[in-house]
C-alpha cells in the first residue's frame, strides 16, 4: 500500500506529464528553448518568490539546508573523483562524472516531486534547495566543467546575477525582513502564485522534451554516474540529514529526496560551453553527461518510488 500510494501520489503524476513532453518532443520536434526561457525567467522566479513569502520555515532550518546542499555536493564530487580515477576516467569525462554526481535535478524533477510528496513545505524546501544549488552550479560547476581550460570563476558569478531567480529570492527575503509581505489573498499574491504554479507542469514538459532529444548511444560508457546517483547519493544525503539534525522532519525528508533525484540538466549546458569538442576515447563530455541524464531519469522511477514510500512512512529518516 505504501509503494502504491508513493507512486500514484508523487512519482506517477511527474512521470505522466514528463511522458507527455517526451511524446510531444518525439512527434513534433518542438524546440524546448522558448519554454525553457519562460520557465527560467518568469515561472521559476515567481514560484520562488511566492514560496519564500508564504513559507513557515525558520532561519535556522534554512541555514541547515544551505549547509546540507553544500556538504552533499562536496562529498559527491569527492566520491566521483575517487571512483572516476579508479575506473580510468580522466579529463573532460572526469569533470562530467563529477557534475553528474554532485548536482541533482532539484528543479525539473525535485520541485514537483517534493510538492506531491510533502505539500507546501516540500515545495518551499525544494525551491530553496534549487536556489542554493544554482549558486554552486554557476561557480563550482563552471570550474569543474572548464577542466583547466583557462576559464575563471568570475564569469560564473556574473552568470548568477544575469538570471532573475536570485533577484526573486533576494526581494522575497527583503520583504519578509521588513515585515512588508502582502496578504496571501491579495490580488498581487494570488497572481504571482498562479504564475508560479504553472512552473510545475512546464518544467516536467521541458524534461520530457529534453529526454526525447537525448542521444543514448553512450549508455554503457556512463554507468559510473548512474550508479553514484541511484545508490550513493541517497545514502550520502541521509547521512548528512542525520548529522545536521533538522528541527523540521519534513525539511530533512525533502532534503534527502531532492538529493536523490536524477542528474541535473544545467551541467550539460556547462559541458557544451566548456568541453564540447574534447573527446576522450571517442566520446565527448556532453555525450557522456546527456546519457547519464537519460539513464538516471528513467532508472530513478523505481528508486524514487521506494524512497518516497520510506520517507513518508518514517523508515528512511
Amino acid at each position: 500500500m505504501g509503494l502504491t500510494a508513493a507512486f500514484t501520489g508523487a512519482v506517477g503524476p511527474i512521470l505522466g506529464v514528463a511522458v507527455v513532453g517526451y511524446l510531444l518532443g518525439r512527434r513534433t520536434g518542438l524546440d524546448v528553448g522558448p519554454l525553457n526561457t519562460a520557465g527560467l525567467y518568469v515561472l521559476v522566479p515567481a514560484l520562488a518568490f511566492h514560496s519564500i513569502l508564504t513559507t513557515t520555515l525558520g532561519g535556522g532550518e534554512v541555514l541547515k539546508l544551505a549547509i546540507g546542499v553544500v556538504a552533499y555536493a562536496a562529498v559527491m564530487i569527492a566520491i566521483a573523483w575517487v571512483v572516476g580515477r579508479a575506473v580510468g576516467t580522466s579529463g573532460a569525462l572526469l569533470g562530467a562524472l563529477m557534475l553528474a554526481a554532485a548536482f541533482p535535478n532539484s528543479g525539473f524533477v525535485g520541485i514537483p516531486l517534493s510538492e506531491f510528496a510533502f505539500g507546501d513545505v516540500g515545495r518551499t524546501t525544494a525551491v530553496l534547495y534549487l536556489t542554493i544549488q544554482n549558486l554552486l552550479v554557476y561557480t563550482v560547476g563552471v570550474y569543474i566543467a572548464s577542466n583547466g581550460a583557462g576559464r575563471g570563476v568570475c564569469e560564473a558569478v556574473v552568470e548568477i546575477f544575469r538570471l532573475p531567480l536570485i533577484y526573486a529570492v533576494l526581494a522575497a527575503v527583503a520583504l519578509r525582513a521588513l515585515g512588508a509581505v502582502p496578504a496571501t489573498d491579495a490580488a498581487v499574491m494570488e497572481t504571482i502564485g498562479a504564475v508560479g504554479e504553472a512552473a510545475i507542469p512546464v518544467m516536467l514538459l521541458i524534461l520530457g522534451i529534453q529526454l526525447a532529444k537525448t542521444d543514448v548511444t553512450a549508455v554503457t560508457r556512463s554507468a559510473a554516474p548512474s550508479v553514484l546517483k541511484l545508490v550513493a547519493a541517497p545514502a550520502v544525503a541521509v547521512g548528512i540529514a542525520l548529522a545536521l539534525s533538522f528541527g523540521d522532519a519534513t525539511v530533512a525528508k525533502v532534503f534527502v529526496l531532492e538529493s536523490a533525484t536524477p542528474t541535473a540538466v544545467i551541467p550539460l549546458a556547462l559541458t557544451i560551453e566548456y568541453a564540447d569538442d574534447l573527446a576522450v576515447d571517442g566520446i565527448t563530455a556532453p555525450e557522456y553527461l546527456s546519457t547519464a541524464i537519460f539513464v538516471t531519469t528513467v532508472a530513478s522511477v523505481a528508486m524514487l518510488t521506494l524512497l518516497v514510500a520510506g520517507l513518508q512512512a518514517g523508515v528512511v529518516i
Side-chain angles (χ1 to χ4, degrees):
M1 184 64 180
L3 288 177
T4 302
F7 183 81
T8 58
V11 180
I14 291 174
L15 182 62
V17 180
V19 167
V20 171
Y22 180 87
L23 295 175
L24 187 64
R26 294 286 292 182
R27 294 185 63 86
T28 67
L30 180 67
D31 181 12
V32 75
L35 274 178
N36 193 60
T37 299
L40 192 63
Y41 283 86
V42 180
L43 304 182
V44 173
L47 178 64
F49 184 78
H50 188 271
S51 296
I52 293 173
L53 285 184
T54 58
T55 184
T56 58
L57 295 181
E61 291 299 274
V62 175
L63 177 60
K64 287 183 179 181
L65 181 64
I67 294 172
V69 174
V70 174
Y72 168 82
V75 172
M76 291 304 298
I77 287 171
I79 293 175
W81 186 86
V82 171
V83 171
R85 295 301 294 268
V87 299
T89 303
S90 61
L93 295 193
L94 181 59
L97 173 60
M98 291 189 286
L99 290 172
F103 300 117
N105 199 331
S106 58
F108 290 169
V109 174
I111 291 176
L113 179 62
S114 297
E115 181 177 21
F116 281 125
F118 297 106
D120 291 340
V121 174
R123 180 179 66 179
T124 301
T125 304
V127 168
L128 291 170
Y129 189 112
L130 173 65
T131 303
I132 299 162
Q133 178 179 285
N134 277 346
L135 297 177
L136 294 175
V137 168
Y138 286 113
T139 50
V140 177
V142 166
Y143 177 79
I144 293 173
S146 62
N147 194 34
R151 304 296 183 100
V153 176
C154 290
E155 60 188 275
V157 176
V158 172
E159 182 69 13
I160 294 173
F161 290 97
R162 186 180 67 83
L163 299 174
L165 177 62
I166 186 67
Y167 297 107
V169 172
L170 292 174
V173 170
L175 287 175
R176 287 187 66 108
L178 295 171
V181 178
T184 55
D185 59 352
V188 63
M189 288 293 285
E190 291 185 344
T191 300
I192 294 172
V195 174
E197 289 292 340
I200 304 300
V202 169
M203 284 191 296
L204 292 175
L205 287 174
I206 290 171
L207 175 64
I209 295 169
Q210 287 174 327
L211 291 178
K213 298 177 182 297
T214 300
D215 179 6
V216 295
T217 56
V219 168
T220 58
R221 300 292 301 278
S222 59
S226 302
V227 172
L228 287 177
K229 279 304 303 169
L230 298 172
V231 179
V236 169
V238 169
I240 292 174
L242 291 174
L244 289 173
S245 300
F246 285 96
D248 188 325
T250 301
V251 175
K253 292 175 181 180
V254 175
F255 168 77
V256 172
L257 185 58
E258 287 283 288
S259 301
T261 54
T263 297
V265 176
I266 292 178
L268 176 59
L270 297 181
T271 61
I272 292 173
E273 173 69 20
Y274 297 108
D276 192 26
D277 57 349
L278 300 176
V280 179
D281 296 332
I283 180 175
T284 66
E287 290 172 337
Y288 183 90
L289 192 52
S290 64
T291 305
I293 293 169
F294 184 91
V295 173
T296 56
T297 301
V298 173
S300 68
V301 172
M303 184 273 290
L304 289 175
T305 299
L306 290 169
L307 184 58
V308 169
L311 289 170
Q312 289 178 333
V315 175
V316 176
I317 191 170

